[in-house]
Amino acid sequence: MAGCWDERLYKNSSVVSLTGFEGEIGKLTAYYAYPEATTTEMKTVIITGNGVSPRDVRQDAELNVEQTMDLSVLSTILISEKTAEDDIYKYLDGYFRDANSPITSKLAIIQGDLKPFFEVSEDKQSTAGEYYDRFITSLEENSMVIPYTLQTASTIIFEDAQDLALPYLKMGEEKHPKAEGMALFSGRSFTGKTLTIDEGVLLNILNDSLGFATRISYLYEDSPVTVRINKSKRKLNISENKIEIPLKLEFILSEFPDDNLDKTSVKKELEQFLEKEIEKDMKEVIKKLQEANCDAIGLGRSVRAFHPEWFKKDWSEHFSTLDISPKVDVEIVKTGILE
């Protein structure tokens, strides 16, 4: 028998769970966070590396650790917004060339300096990467960001018919990471434009990539109304310069103090109100996407597949010139626990 010829023991390595980049190629800084056990506690160690490329900064960081850094269980990669304005693949290429690199790592774009996002993890009981992995996963489950891993994001990076939209985080006033929305990409570069969290929910509906729970809230005649999507059905009506997106949304009512929904007229008025507001907000989301030349909805894929004669090689720019209109049809199918 061959035995454990490829055995790699964690005790012999500094197992990095979180990494991040800021700066630019030629003058790059990277941070690495890994857990270290003492006789009394588990703490997070943060190592900084400087160099001209992602592989060079890792080698520089290796000079500051007593054991070789192991990135085989890397959970999250954070990238500064200024760095992401360059070709983002330059900073991810090395992970695809190393057989030990995981392809399930989460990605996020960071507002401001990167170091505070690493320092905040020092007080967490879990590893730094696991903390951000759970943080981003919770956003995905609530349909606030589109779910991407290193692998799925790379397929979009090389796709000429769809663009990336990654989680956008900032440091809150209480020195705690906060989800700010979604960072919009055109091709491989961050455009500097973002969507809010509420707009991210609408983008997930348009993208047909809903998480476990999708909630939308409005103020209806001075009364709060919150609905949760029970079922969503999206179609695309494509012509040469126009794309219509009919959406059939079934809602469960989560909050509505006014009630009186046993009256058909009240229920119908509420449905019409939701249709009007959601359609209006979706148009604003599409407007922002077009201003950023960011087809995060993936309309280009459908155009290329079913109407190749209308597909343009410079799709991101062509996308911004199209007449794109959502058409929302709302039905409230459940108003409470018993109904």
Side-chain angles (χ1 to χ4, degrees):
M1 296 180 67
C4 298
W5 60 271
D6 62 343
E7 181 180 59
R8 291 181 296 115
L9 298 177
Y10 282 166
K11 69 177 183 178
N12 297 328
S13 303
S14 298
V15 183
V16 175
S17 63
L18 175 67
T19 187
F21 300 100
E22 64 182 5
E24 58 187 10
I25 298 297
K27 192 177 181 180
L28 191 65
T29 299
Y31 299 92
Y32 302 89
Y34 62 88
E36 185 178 82
T38 66
T39 55
T40 58
E41 62 179 353
M42 179 76 75
K43 65 177 183 177
T44 297
V45 178
I46 300 171
I47 297 297
T48 305
N50 297 287
V52 298
S53 70
R55 196 63 186 86
D56 189 37
V57 293
R58 178 175 171 180
Q59 185 168 317
D60 183 60
E62 294 271 16
L63 302 177
N64 301 305
V65 294
E66 60 182 15
Q67 295 173 316
T68 302
M69 291 196 302
D70 183 349
L71 274 65
S72 62
V73 294
L74 182 66
S75 297
T76 313
I77 303 171
L78 306 179
I79 302 177
S80 165
E81 59 183 341
K82 294 296 182 183
T83 302
E85 289 176 0
D86 191 8
D87 181 353
I88 192 174
Y89 186 72
K90 293 178 182 178
Y91 308 94
L92 304 178
D93 176 76
Y95 297 106
F96 296 102
R97 298 184 185 277
D98 186 348
N100 293 324
S101 294
I103 56 176
T104 56
S105 305
K106 301 288 187 184
L107 295 168
I109 304 302
I110 300 303
Q111 181 189 90
D113 295 332
L114 202 58
K115 191 173 182 180
F117 288 86
F118 282 75
E119 293 175 337
V120 75
S121 66
E122 291 179 320
D123 299 327
K124 305 300 179 186
Q125 293 298 317
S126 61
T127 65
E130 288 175 349
Y131 168 75
Y132 282 103
D133 180 57
R134 291 197 305 270
F135 184 75
I136 295 171
T137 298
S138 70
L139 298 176
E140 294 171 350
E141 290 178 347
N142 286 283
S143 300
M144 295 174 179
V145 300
I146 297 175
Y148 280 123
T149 63
L150 184 60
Q151 180 185 25
T152 55
S154 69
T155 62
I156 304 300
I157 289 173
F158 290 104
E159 174 64 79
D160 58 358
Q162 187 172 357
D163 295 294
L164 272 177
L166 295 178
Y168 185 61
L169 311 181
K170 77 170 189 178
M171 187 58 66
E173 294 180 359
E174 299 180 356
K175 303 300 180 183
H176 191 278
K178 178 182 179 182
E180 192 71 0
M182 300 192 71
L184 303 180
F185 282 69
S186 182
R188 299 183 179 188
S189 302
F190 173 45
T191 63
K193 300 181 183 296
T194 62
L195 297 180
T196 66
I197 285 295
D198 291 339
E199 290 171 336
V201 173
L202 297 176
L203 176 58
N204 268 285
I205 298 173
L206 288 166
N207 192 49
D208 200 19
S209 55
L210 301 182
F212 176 74
T214 307
R215 294 183 178 86
I216 306 173
S217 297
Y218 288 104
L219 198 60
Y220 175 66
E221 296 180 354
D222 297 325
S223 178
V225 54
T226 300
V227 290
R228 174 176 173 175
I229 291 183
N230 179 59
K231 188 182 295 184
S232 172
K233 187 175 182 180
R234 186 195 75 172
K235 293 184 179 180
L236 296 176
N237 298 328
I238 301 171
S239 60
E240 184 172 2
N241 293 309
K242 183 175 181 178
I243 299 178
E244 188 177 90
I245 310 175
L247 288 156
K248 172 66 177 177
L249 304 178
E250 291 185 2
F251 284 146
I252 298 173
L253 203 61
S254 299
E255 179 183 44
F256 188 55
D258 276 3
D259 205 9
N260 295 319
L261 291 175
D262 54 325
K263 299 179 181 179
T264 304
S265 60
V266 176
K267 183 180 177 183
K268 188 64 178 177
E269 287 177 6
L270 182 58
E271 288 174 341
Q272 291 174 345
F273 167 79
L274 290 170
E275 287 174 356
K276 181 180 177 182
E277 292 300 311
I278 293 172
E279 197 170 292
K280 180 186 70 175
D281 290 344
M282 281 185 171
K283 288 179 179 178
E284 186 62 28
V285 170
I286 292 170
K287 180 182 177 182
K288 287 188 175 183
L289 292 176
Q290 290 185 303
E291 288 175 350
N293 290 348
C294 174
D295 181 11
I297 306 173
L299 299 178
R301 285 185 164 183
S302 295
V303 174
R304 185 178 59 189
F306 300 107
H307 303 279
E309 68 277 11
W310 295 332
F311 183 76
K312 308 291 184 181
K313 288 185 178 180
D314 56 342
W315 175 253
S316 291
E317 293 183 10
H318 182 61
F319 164 79
S320 65
T321 66
L322 298 176
D323 180 6
I324 304 172
S325 57
K327 299 295 180 183
V328 180
D329 181 18
V330 166
E331 181 183 3
I332 298 175
V333 295
K334 193 172 183 181
T335 59
I337 297 176
L338 301 179
E339 296 183 5

